[in-house]
Amino acid sequence: TLETAHWAGNQLALAELDSSRERLARAEIRALRAQISPHFIYNALTAIGSFVRTDPERARELILEFAEFTRYSFRAHGEFTTLAEELRSIDRYLIIERARFGDRLQVRLQIAPEVLPVTLPFLCLQPLVENAVRHGLSRKPGTGMVSIEARDAGAECHITVEDDGVGMDPATLTTGIAELARSTGDPGEDSGQHVGLSNVDERLRSVFGDGFGLVVETGLGSGTRVSMRIPKFHPGVRAGS
């Protein structure tokens, strides 16, 4: 009887732990959505509005891309998605941003077809691309390049998002992330990059383990490169779950 009670207690504890993890995952996704909505929606609508009279057909196409982007970003179900779905949403985001920046924003994709079905946390890659545009290139005069690479690495998929923008002091990045970890208030506009990076890093580690966090390489005037490793198969991880 004691053994049965002990086993039942352990099962209840595990169930509560799983429930807590699910609540945390939902909270982290809400945080990322809050980061996306204020600045990007305003800028997207402004860009679309600029074409309403001069190029109505392009304005219509941008509205449709914006609608699909928001539908994906604010979907109500699924902690995980596929790399293919995340890249489709990123493509819509970049179409809208190119309408704003014109030829100033250049994009390079190198995606191995065999890794497109890989499952990863929802909104895991998109914030990194947004940070590259928002914090790296928007503050850089002239043309800037965002590169997205996903390659097959045996049992893993290796993904990098790189920009040749203004970069930042690595010490400042480390300090900013540490301060966010201690803070419970609004991080403010200037900390948006720290929010996106720390959020994605924590989610990767919570799902796949501490060996699968983000690797960030940056320097003042040297751009930023963010890398992640995603296991192709992991217990309990599947798209739509």
Side-chain angles (χ1 to χ4, degrees):
T1 301
L2 289 175
E3 290 180 355
T4 301
H6 181 68
W7 177 86
N10 286 339
Q11 296 305 305
L12 289 172
L14 289 172
E16 179 61 27
L17 179 61
D18 288 341
S19 178
S20 298
R21 287 173 175 168
E22 290 176 3
R23 289 194 297 270
L24 177 60
R26 289 194 295 269
E28 289 171 337
I29 290 173
R30 285 196 298 270
L32 283 176
R33 286 170 171 161
Q35 181 197 358
I36 292 169
S37 57
H39 70 277
F40 175 69
I41 290 177
Y42 172 80
N43 290 334
L45 293 176
T46 301
I48 293 169
S50 69
F51 291 103
V52 168
R53 291 187 178 181
T54 60
D55 194 343
E57 183 58 29
R58 187 176 186 190
R60 177 182 177 277
E61 292 173 355
L62 289 172
I63 288 172
L64 294 176
E65 297 290 356
F66 178 70
E68 287 300 312
F69 171 84
T70 54
R71 182 187 65 82
Y72 175 81
S73 298
F74 296 97
R75 72 181 191 179
H77 66 281
E79 182 184 346
F80 301 102
T81 188
T82 64
L83 177 60
E85 290 176 338
E86 191 86 347
L87 287 172
R88 275 194 291 269
S89 180
I90 288 169
D91 182 58
R92 295 182 179 109
Y93 166 78
L94 290 171
I95 286 172
I96 296 169
E97 290 292 53
R98 279 195 292 263
R100 289 180 57 214
F101 290 102
D103 293 337
R104 283 186 57 206
L105 174 58
Q106 302 294 317
V107 179
R108 181 174 59 201
L109 295 175
Q110 292 181 290
I111 310 297
E114 57 268 27
V115 300
L116 289 174
V118 169
T119 300
L120 68 167
F122 175 61
L123 288 184
C124 178
L125 185 57
Q126 182 175 295
L128 307 185
V129 177
E130 184 176 356
N131 278 334
V133 175
R134 179 184 174 194
H135 298 283
L137 301 183
S138 66
R139 301 173 184 175
K140 175 186 177 181
T143 301
M145 172 75 73
V146 174
S147 301
I148 305 170
E149 178 183 359
R151 57 188 179 87
D152 190 350
E156 298 176 350
C157 169
H158 290 183
I159 303 173
T160 61
V161 176
E162 184 172 5
D163 68 76
D164 60 358
V166 297
M168 67 183 304
D169 184 348
T172 301
L173 176 64
T174 302
T175 302
I177 291 177
E179 289 176 352
L180 280 171
R182 295 192 297 267
S183 173
T184 56
D186 182 359
E189 178 71 13
D190 291 338
S191 297
Q193 185 174 22
H194 302 149
V195 172
L197 292 176
S198 61
N199 190 308
V200 172
D201 180 71
E202 290 172 3
R203 293 172 63 210
L204 288 172
R205 293 176 186 274
S206 67
V207 172
F208 300 121
D210 285 336
F212 291 89
L214 293 180
V215 176
V216 182
E217 303 167 76
T218 188
L220 290 173
S222 301
T224 302
R225 176 185 173 94
V226 184
S227 306
M228 67 175 74
R229 296 160 43 229
I230 305 294
K232 289 182 178 177
F233 304 100
H234 192 79
V237 175
R238 60 183 182 276
S241 63

